[in-house]
Amino acid sequence: MMKSLADHGLPLVQLKEQRRDLVVALQKRNGPLNGWELMQIAAVQQAISAFEDVIADLDAELEAAA
């Protein structure tokens, strides 16, 4: 289905990979997380959510136009 494959040229996959890399790096570390690390993950997650919303809107527009 096109809806699950189309990313409309947005860097969603790259952001998800960046989030995964940040989380994996933190899992391998001993000790508590600091605020900066949490802010990085939160910012990437917020961007992912925003892109997913935009993609859903674009897909809805395409379906409505069809």
Side-chain angles (χ1 to χ4, degrees), residues 41-53:
I41 293 170
V44 171
Q45 180 58 48
Q46 188 174 15
I48 289 168
S49 295
F51 278 123
E52 288 174 338
D53 290 344

Side-chain angles (χ1 to χ4, degrees), residues 5-15 51 54-55 58-59:
L5 297 176
D7 68 358
H8 302 282
L10 298 171
L12 185 58
V13 172
Q14 292 88 343
L15 285 169
F51 278 123
V54 168
I55 289 169
L58 291 171
D59 287 345

Side-chain angles (χ1 to χ4, degrees), residues 3-61:
K3 186 173 183 176
S4 63
L5 297 176
D7 68 358
H8 302 282
L10 298 171
L12 185 58
V13 172
Q14 292 88 343
L15 285 169
K16 287 183 176 183
E17 289 172 352
Q18 181 181 2
R19 177 187 59 192
R20 183 196 65 227
D21 292 343
L22 288 168
V23 171
V24 167
L26 293 175
Q27 287 175 337
K28 294 180 180 180
R29 205 183 71 176
N30 292 329
L33 304 178
N34 65 43
W36 173 248
E37 293 162 331
L38 291 175
M39 286 182 0
Q40 283 181 300
I41 293 170
V44 171
Q45 180 58 48
Q46 188 174 15
I48 289 168
S49 295
F51 278 123
E52 288 174 338
D53 290 344
V54 168
I55 289 169
D57 289 345
L58 291 171
D59 287 345
E61 288 177 14

